[in-house]
Amino acid sequence: MRSAGIVLALIVFVFAAAAPIFWLLLSSVLQQQALITVPPDLSPQSFTLGNYTAVFESAAQLWRAIANSLVVSILTTALAILLGAPAAYALARLQVPRADTILLMVLAAQMFPAIVIAIPLFITASKLGLIDTKLNLILVYLSFNLPIVIWVLRGFFTGLPAGLERAARMDGATVAQTFRMIILPISLPPLFAAAIFAFIEAWNEFFFALIMTRQTAQTVPLAISAFAGQYQTVFGQMMAAAAISVAPIIILTILLRNTILRGFADGMLKG
Amino acid sequence: MALGAATEFAAGGGHRRAREGLVALYFLGPALAMLALLLAYPVLYSIWLSLTDAKLSAGRLETPFIGLENYATLFTDKAVRGALFNTLYFTVVEVAAVVLLGLLTALLLNHPMARWSGFRVLLLLPWAIAPVANAVLWKWIYHSNYGILNTLLLQLGLIDTNKTWLGDPFGALNMVLLVDIWKSTPFIAILLLAALQNIPKSLYRAARIDGASTWDAFRYITLPSLKTALAIAVILQTIWSLRTFDLIFVLTKGGPADGTVVMNFLAYRVTFNFLKFGYGAALANLIFMTSLVLSIFYVRLMKPGVRP
């Protein structure tokens, strides 16, 4: 009786979580005629890959947007790790005056509503001629990615055994050498987890991209939004465009599920 | 040998500490400078902007100082009143629904029969997909003629004719809410699931030996142990609800009749559509202050620096 209840709840859960995404993928491979039949015509001849080819042919800006998104997401992630990893290490393991205050500020920085920094940053970027450049997005995205990276990595560094540095120092290694040759090599999994978070956040970001780009530096979310506005009655193509934008993230998420599950739940709960 | 090294280490301690402080500066400096540039400077700039009547005209930004006038206007602006009501309604309903559904999902997935990792992956998917792609998807689901929601409800006999889901102001707000609840619940569920797994199993064994029912165990062990995690979930979700933008931009653009204009969207519209930068900054600062107060509570709950 009780296990029947659990099974029923699981069915409801699976349906609620998966049905919309399943419908996204299913409509992306159905012909327009099948989609505007009520109920949708799911016979074998309705299936097609034409929506995908049509999206890539009709939307030249989508190709450019994918290239832009890749460049922006990868570079902002790399910068966040490069700046964030040493900072996280210092906060976790070195004598830093007011480390607690700095940490609280990093934590609060993750909560900043984008709108409050977007207005001044837009004005500054306009004055510097950075509007509609990838460099601008790469820097602006550090405003949320750097705090995330510092937070996730600090949690990991704090948990390392206390004797590590002492042993290295007895062998005459400097702090920088210890960090580079002892700490970094054993930190690859959390570095990877932090990078994945940063990449997903940058890939999905819409608000700053909407304000700070026009044509040249347009990213995928903007291209999808523009496409959906332009072709809002061509449902199959609209879903194909959406599927293209979520595919890399879905694949990453499934491949790295354990890293993500462990990384973010722990990071948000423990100080 | 080992003893010799140890005394040497102890003797060099003071000097070493000073050098370590310098190294820490090198390690921390670049990141802190970047954060100051990207967060501290804009916040200060935004406060100053809100005290001016900054307007963009003919590509030039003029910033005449007007003191607190923008903040005074907030109180009389009808658009602000509407947006405040929408934001309050949106946030309260979303936080309540997400935390409740998140808790139920976490309890379900913590059950021995639901340990299969596939369920957890399923939980990650709505969280991971881009808000914009999600919004485009739901626009199609809600479509008044061919949307799958109408089709399903018609087939089940729950409605007689197709509904225009985003047609009236309050209805549209609720449909936007529904999508955001769907997208936000997984993260809170994962958070609470992690907290559930930290409760020692021995507590439940002891309770069972004492003859406690499942409900008793939930009421007297599970809920009290989850108190901090639930408080964190409420605060985080409130902050995130206040940030909702992408979904509204794609699904309704604030309409119909401003029914889905929340504070965040209003600040965007005032600034970047009406080009009133000063007033927009005042609105943004109001949202910022609310989030800041909430994040102070969050930080208190997290107690960083204290190891678990």
Side-chain angles (χ1 to χ4, degrees):
Chain A
M1 177 55 211
R2 172 164 289 177
S3 42
I6 299 285
V7 170
L8 192 69
L10 279 173
I11 291 172
V12 172
F13 162 73
V14 170
F15 180 81
I21 296 171
F22 178 72
W23 181 234
L24 164 74
L25 297 175
L26 184 63
S27 356
S28 77
V29 291
L30 285 171
Q31 284 172 6
Q32 175 78 356
Q33 194 50 48
L35 289 172
I36 59 171
T37 311
V38 177
D41 175 14
L42 297 178
S43 54
Q45 64 268 26
S46 303
F47 286 84
T48 173
L49 286 176
N51 294 326
Y52 285 88
T53 48
V55 166
F56 277 115
E57 275 163 20
S58 65
Q61 79 251 46
L62 187 60
W63 284 109
R64 192 174 55 195
I66 290 174
N68 283 342
S69 271
L70 278 175
V71 170
V72 168
S73 308
I74 289 172
L75 288 182
T76 195
T77 301
L79 263 178
I81 297 282
L82 203 68
L83 295 172
Y89 178 73
L91 287 171
R93 315 283 291 187
L94 301 178
Q95 299 283 334
V96 177
R98 303 194 180 277
D100 277 5
T101 317
I102 297 175
L103 263 174
L104 294 187
M105 276 158 41
V106 169
L107 187 59
Q110 288 179 63
M111 318 278 146
F112 265 55
I115 182 79
V116 75
I117 60 170
I119 300 171
L121 288 178
F122 172 79
I123 294 174
T124 309
S126 307
K127 283 182 183 157
L128 297 174
L130 285 173
I131 294 296
D132 208 14
T133 62
K134 291 192 269 296
L135 174 67
N136 185 44
L137 284 188
I138 292 168
L139 292 176
V140 169
Y141 286 2
L142 283 178
S143 69
F144 53 85
N145 271 342
L146 196 49
I148 293 177
V149 164
I150 294 177
W151 192 256
V152 170
L153 290 180
R154 190 205 73 105
F156 171 79
F157 289 142
T158 308
L160 290 175
L164 268 178
E165 283 97 344
R166 216 176 313 138
R169 254 169 256 176
M170 269 186 222
D171 291 339
T174 64
V175 177
Q177 282 170 333
T178 311
F179 179 63
R180 215 173 48 236
M181 298 193 293
I182 313 281
I183 304 293
L184 280 188
I186 57 170
S187 310
L188 288 180
L191 281 171
F192 200 54
I196 297 299
F197 288 140
F199 183 88
I200 293 181
E201 292 286 330
W203 181 271
N204 287 347
E205 206 287 329
F206 178 70
F207 185 68
F208 286 117
L210 175 72
I211 292 167
M212 309 269 196
T213 69
R214 298 291 171 263
Q215 286 284 317
T216 330
Q218 216 182 45
T219 55
V220 171
L222 272 170
I224 300 300
S225 150
F227 188 86
Q230 213 173 338
Y231 297 87
Q232 52 180 321
T233 50
V234 195
F235 306 113
Q237 290 187 32
M238 209 163 85
M239 290 304 107
I244 291 164
S245 80
V246 299
I249 301 302
I250 290 190
I251 293 168
L252 267 182
T253 307
I254 292 174
L255 285 178
L256 304 165
R257 55 189 177 274
N258 291 328
T259 318
I260 297 175
L261 282 169
R262 233 176 300 127
F264 73 24
D266 286 355
M268 299 312 277
L269 283 172
K270 284 183 214 147
Chain B
M1 179 60 199
L3 192 70
T7 28
E8 198 184 286
F9 182 76
H15 178 59
R16 199 177 297 271
R17 189 148 300 165
R19 216 175 46 206
E20 199 182 274
L22 199 66
V23 176
L25 195 68
Y26 280 122
F27 275 42
L28 257 177
L32 291 185
M34 191 55 97
L35 288 179
L37 195 72
L38 290 169
L39 295 167
Y41 159 72
V43 166
L44 295 176
Y45 194 168
S46 175
I47 292 172
W48 180 73
L49 267 179
S50 73
L51 301 175
T52 73
D53 188 23
K55 278 196 182 107
L56 194 67
S57 53
R60 277 186 51 82
L61 187 74
E62 318 234 340
T63 53
F65 185 82
I66 55 164
L68 293 172
E69 209 174 291
N70 283 326
Y71 291 96
T73 314
L74 287 178
F75 288 99
T76 52
D77 190 340
K78 271 213 184 74
V80 171
R81 214 169 306 155
L84 268 179
F85 171 78
N86 288 343
T87 308
L88 195 69
Y89 176 78
F90 192 92
T91 309
V92 169
V93 175
E94 173 156 46
V95 171
V98 165
V99 172
L100 189 68
L101 287 172
L103 179 62
L104 287 175
T105 312
L107 288 170
L108 176 67
L109 294 192
N110 198 37
H111 191 274
M113 282 171 65
R115 286 282 158 80
W116 180 51
S117 70
F119 291 131
R120 268 151 231 214
V121 174
L122 216 52
L123 204 51
L124 284 175
L125 291 183
W127 164 78
I129 63 172
V132 168
N134 185 44
V136 171
L137 163 65
W138 285 86
K139 203 174 181 178
W140 164 224
I141 290 176
Y142 285 164
H143 195 276
S144 47
N145 296 326
Y146 311 112
I148 195 78
L149 183 64
N150 271 327
T151 308
L152 268 181
L153 294 179
L154 275 175
Q155 301 279 320
L156 293 171
L158 292 172
I159 53 173
D160 308 322
T161 52
N162 280 346
K163 285 216 181 314
T164 314
W165 296 108
L166 302 172
D168 71 292
F170 192 60
L173 187 62
N174 283 313
M175 295 317 272
V176 172
L177 245 175
L178 190 68
V179 185
D180 216 40
I181 292 169
W182 178 78
K183 179 121 173 66
S184 307
T185 300
F187 191 98
I188 298 299
I190 289 165
L191 196 87
L192 295 176
L193 188 58
L196 274 178
Q197 283 164 350
N198 287 338
I199 304 175
K201 298 276 170 294
S202 55
L203 287 179
Y204 292 100
R205 268 199 301 275
R208 211 171 322 128
I209 292 168
D210 290 344
S213 68
T214 312
W215 170 251
D216 288 338
F218 176 74
R219 173 74 187 73
Y220 295 103
I221 300 173
T222 313
L223 269 189
S225 315
L226 284 184
K227 216 165 59 189
T228 311
L230 281 170
I232 288 177
V234 167
I235 293 172
L236 285 178
Q237 188 52 53
T238 310
I239 292 172
W240 289 328
S241 297
L242 288 174
R243 276 207 286 211
T244 312
F245 178 85
D246 307 8
L247 196 57
I248 294 171
F249 185 87
V250 174
L251 271 185
T252 62
K253 289 256 186 339
D258 284 359
T260 53
V261 170
V262 290
M263 286 299 282
N264 201 21
F265 195 84
L266 184 68
Y268 163 80
R269 198 163 68 175
V270 164
T271 313
F272 295 102
N273 290 352
F274 306 158
L275 302 179
K276 293 202 269 188
F277 284 73
Y279 192 45
L283 280 164
N285 289 348
L286 192 64
I287 304 168
F288 173 63
M289 290 312 291
T290 317
S291 299
L292 192 68
V293 171
L294 287 165
S295 51
I296 290 170
F297 281 115
Y298 174 58
V299 161
R300 287 260 174 91
L301 286 168
M302 298 268 300
K303 292 192 211 76
V306 183
R307 291 193 203 171

